[in-house]
């Protein structure tokens, strides 16, 4: 079997730079999110406010642009109508800290979040409401869900935290991985998803919404990918006008009692992020970038108190090397390609036998998908050596700035 090599090369285009003052205009097209008229490739990392002290400066130093958090309903409304946003529950303070560091934010409201959190984030009292069926086309559930989602959105608006108001929030999520369970709800599933999308959009946040693992996300909600290998597994946006967004890139795996820790190498994460970007992905979120601790009784059944200790920042917020540093270098190398990547054309060309390349002009990603063999390729009169299972990034198509397998 020959080695597989793909070269992704994109043309050069200099986008006019627009600097936003006050409110920002966040939209999207088939290429990426667009902030104040500029296309963006964004690296994002999950940090959950109840699980940690915010490690935002370290995330920023690691080359992240966005911090993403879930919103934990049962933490905020432990009893009906009794809200708590104090201390570790202070989501507003968390978002303001992100803003103070000059980063963007994404809030995934759910309000079913899974997240290895007790009861998936749903308050236990919901279960006493007569006739309620969770996450379904069911009036009692929809009433409670809308009430909570509106409460969070209105809080964010009151603090002017949406980008449309000059704040850091550029994206929000409604529901979570519903596509995986939708069939179980039979004819109550599809109308629920349509309702959820319409309800969310109707709240007029001024920024786009996503649904993850929901390939039929109703317009204008963007369908996003979760997983370890979205460059290979994502069927793509469900409309040519939507960008490819990866909401959960599992940097490891949460751990349950009795299991060995899941070690996902820095090289493997870097390979799949580079592949997703080379295939026109424009937004990658690391789940988790920093996991922290499940305090008290907040963890879901069997889940350890330590949450994603193998993430780029470990349970205590310390650098997990070489992961943190390798991904930082990856982000920097990809950012050297920004202008060509955001406006050029992508094509694929074969480079010799059983080799292919994607080609247009000024930035190259070359991929060796063979797990055992190093391949040597000639491209424009130069020789390049690609280690097994690796991607080289050549921001000028001549010089290798980064190889995912070289730590
Ligand atoms: C926001 O940006 C979009 C696309 O870049 C543009 O079509 C629209 O006119 C802008 N809206 C405002 C209010 O500036
Ligand atoms: C790499 O090889 C694996 C295993 O054959 C395959 O599943 C995957 O889609 C390939 N990836 C690329 C980018 O060609
Ligand atoms: C494998 C893994 O970590 N999956 C998690 C992805 O993130 C959601 C939270 O939105 C978790 O619930 C999944 O378990």
């Amino acid at each position: 079997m020959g080695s597989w090599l793909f070269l992704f090369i994109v043309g050069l285009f200099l986008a006019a730079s627009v600097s936003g003052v006050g409110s920002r205009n966040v939209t999207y097209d088939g290429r990426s999110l667009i902030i104040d008229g500029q296309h963006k490739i964004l690296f994002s990392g999950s940090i959950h406010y109840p699980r940690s002290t915010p490690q935002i400066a370290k995330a920023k130093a690691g080359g992240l642009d966005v911090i993403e958090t879930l919103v934990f309903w049962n933490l905020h409304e432990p009893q009906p109508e009794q809200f708590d946003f104090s201390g570790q529950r202070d989501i507003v303070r968390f978002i303001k800290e992100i803003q103070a560091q000059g980063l963007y934010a994404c809030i995934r409201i759910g309000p079913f979040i899974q997240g290895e959190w007790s009861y998936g984030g749903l308050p236990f009292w919901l279960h006493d409401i007569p006739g309620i069926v969770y996450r379904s086309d069911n009036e009692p559930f929809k009433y409670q869900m809308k009430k909570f989602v509106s409460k969070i959105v209105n809080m964010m608006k009151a603090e002017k935290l949406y980008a449309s108001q000059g704040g850091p929030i550029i994206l929000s999520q409604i529901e979570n991985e519903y596509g995986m369970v939708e069939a179980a709800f039979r004819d109550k599933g599809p109308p629920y998803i349509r309702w959820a999308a319409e309800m969310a959009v109707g709240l007029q946040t001024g920024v786009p919404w996503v649904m993850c693992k929901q390939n039929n996300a109703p317009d204008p909600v963007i369908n996003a990918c979760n997983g370890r290998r979205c460059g290979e597994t994502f069927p793509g946006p469900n409309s040519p006008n939507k960008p490819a967004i990866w909401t959960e890139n599992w940097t490891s795996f949460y751990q349950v009692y009795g299991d060995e820790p899941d070690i996902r190498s820095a090289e493997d994460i870097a390979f799949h992020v580079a592949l997703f970007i080379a295939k026109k992905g424009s937004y990658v979120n690391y789940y988790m970038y920093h996991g922290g601790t499940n305090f008290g009784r907040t963890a879901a059944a069997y889940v350890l108190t330590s949450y994603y200790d193998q993430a780029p920042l470990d349970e205590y917020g310390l650098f997990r090397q070489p992961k943190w540093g390798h991904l930082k270098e990856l982000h920097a190398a990809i950012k050297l390609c920004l202008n060509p990547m955001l406006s050029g054309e992508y094509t694929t060309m074969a480079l010799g036998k059983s080799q292919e390349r994607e080609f247009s002009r000024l930035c190259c990603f070359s991929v060796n998908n063979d797990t055992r063999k190093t391949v040597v390729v000639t491209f424009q009169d130069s020789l390049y050596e690609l280690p097994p299972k690796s991607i080289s990034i050549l921001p000028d198509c001549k010089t290798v700035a980064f190889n995912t397998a070289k730590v």
Side-chain angles (χ1 to χ4, degrees):
M1 255 313 278
S3 312
W4 290 94
L5 179 85
F6 299 82
L7 251 145
F8 303 85
I9 308 177
V10 292
L12 174 72
F13 181 89
L14 289 169
S17 133
V18 184
S19 59
V21 182
S23 75
R24 293 192 184 97
N25 177 13
V26 186
T27 54
Y28 62 80
D29 64 9
R31 182 63 192 96
S32 72
L33 291 182
I34 305 172
I35 303 180
D36 287 336
Q38 282 191 297
H39 285 91
K40 295 279 179 188
I41 288 191
L42 297 170
F43 295 103
S44 168
S46 289
I47 301 178
H48 297 154
Y49 53 95
R51 287 180 157 137
S52 176
T53 51
Q55 298 292 337
I56 301 177
K58 283 179 179 167
K60 184 180 183 181
L64 295 196
D65 309 290
V66 185
I67 303 293
E68 194 194 72
T69 185
L70 300 171
V71 179
F72 299 79
W73 186 0
N74 55 12
L75 202 63
H76 295 305
E77 196 176 359
Q79 296 299 328
E81 300 287 330
Q82 290 176 22
F83 289 98
D84 189 350
F85 291 95
S86 65
Q88 200 85 1
R89 297 170 168 85
D90 195 344
I91 182 173
V92 165
R93 192 168 131 211
F94 182 75
I95 306 285
K96 285 188 173 170
E97 177 64 25
I98 295 170
Q99 182 172 32
Q101 297 279 345
L103 298 184
Y104 297 121
C106 167
I107 56 170
R108 303 172 70 198
I109 303 180
F112 176 81
I113 52 169
Q114 178 66 15
E116 292 70 64
W117 191 256
S118 93
Y119 224 45
L122 299 181
F124 200 68
W125 52 261
L126 276 183
H127 129 131
D128 295 329
I129 296 174
I132 199 163
V133 180
Y134 301 160
R135 306 176 75 197
S136 182
D137 186 20
N138 166 275
E139 292 308 323
F141 185 73
K142 291 192 300 186
Y143 173 80
Q144 294 294 337
M145 170 163 164
K146 181 175 182 182
K147 196 151 74 77
F148 180 72
V149 174
S150 311
K151 165 117 193 155
I152 295 297
V153 166
N154 290 336
M155 255 178 104
M156 298 299 129
K157 281 188 185 174
E159 300 282 345
K160 299 212 181 320
L161 291 176
Y162 283 105
S164 49
Q165 306 170 290
I169 304 172
I170 54 167
L171 204 59
S172 347
Q173 179 180 304
I174 193 77
E175 250 298 337
N176 188 55
E177 300 186 339
Y178 191 72
M180 294 170 70
V181 296
E182 184 167 348
F185 291 92
R186 298 168 189 262
D187 58 342
K188 298 280 191 190
Y192 166 65
I193 276 302
R194 285 194 297 273
W195 169 83
E198 209 172 290
M199 184 273 288
V201 171
L203 295 175
Q204 304 199 331
T205 59
V207 304
W209 287 89
V210 299
M211 283 183 174
C212 60
K213 284 201 176 176
Q214 188 69 41
N215 291 334
N216 63 354
D219 293 343
V221 175
I222 303 166
N223 59 306
C225 181
N226 284 1
R228 287 169 185 245
R229 300 179 293 121
C230 284
E232 292 169 353
T233 57
F234 187 41
N238 64 20
S239 141
N241 304 321
K242 295 180 185 177
I245 287 186
W246 189 353
T247 33
E248 283 190 23
N249 177 8
W250 302 331
T251 51
S252 168
F253 207 75
Y254 62 87
Q255 206 180 338
V256 296
Y257 283 100
D259 271 9
E260 294 296 319
D262 178 276
I263 312 290
R264 185 180 181 193
S265 71
E267 294 89 324
D268 188 51
I269 301 173
F271 180 92
H272 287 284
V273 170
L275 184 66
F276 187 70
I277 295 290
K279 289 194 165 180
K280 283 189 100 165
S282 59
Y283 183 107
V284 174
N285 179 64
Y286 297 100
Y287 192 97
M288 300 288 298
Y289 194 75
H290 166 56
T293 308
N294 291 311
F295 294 107
R297 290 172 182 264
T298 56
Y302 303 113
V303 173
L304 299 195
T305 50
S306 169
Y307 192 62
Y308 279 81
D309 182 45
Q310 292 293 326
L313 297 174
D314 75 7
E315 175 172 6
Y316 307 102
L318 304 174
F319 297 115
R320 165 80 58 203
Q321 296 288 25
K323 215 171 263 184
W324 182 85
H326 194 52
L327 295 177
K328 175 187 166 97
E329 287 170 17
L330 167 71
H331 303 149
I334 289 174
K335 295 223 162 152
L336 293 173
C337 287
L338 278 193
N339 284 336
M341 289 195 63
L342 287 170
S343 359
E345 289 194 358
Y346 285 60
T347 33
T348 309
M349 279 167 51
L351 269 189
K353 204 172 160 218
S354 70
Q355 293 175 347
E356 283 184 55
R357 66 183 179 181
E358 292 217 353
F359 172 83
S360 84
R361 222 176 300 147
L362 252 176
C363 168
C364 303
F365 285 63
S366 53
V367 183
N368 177 7
N369 195 35
D370 190 302
T371 49
R372 293 174 312 272
K373 269 188 248 148
T374 294
V375 291
V376 179
V377 293
T378 312
F379 176 65
Q380 293 182 339
D381 302 328
S382 302
L383 282 180
Y384 296 95
E385 204 182 77
L386 279 164
K389 195 75 186 178
S390 78
I391 300 181
S392 284
I393 298 174
L394 298 77
D396 56 357
C397 286
K398 289 196 181 73
T399 322
V400 177
F402 181 85
N403 178 276
T404 57
K406 290 186 181 159
V407 173

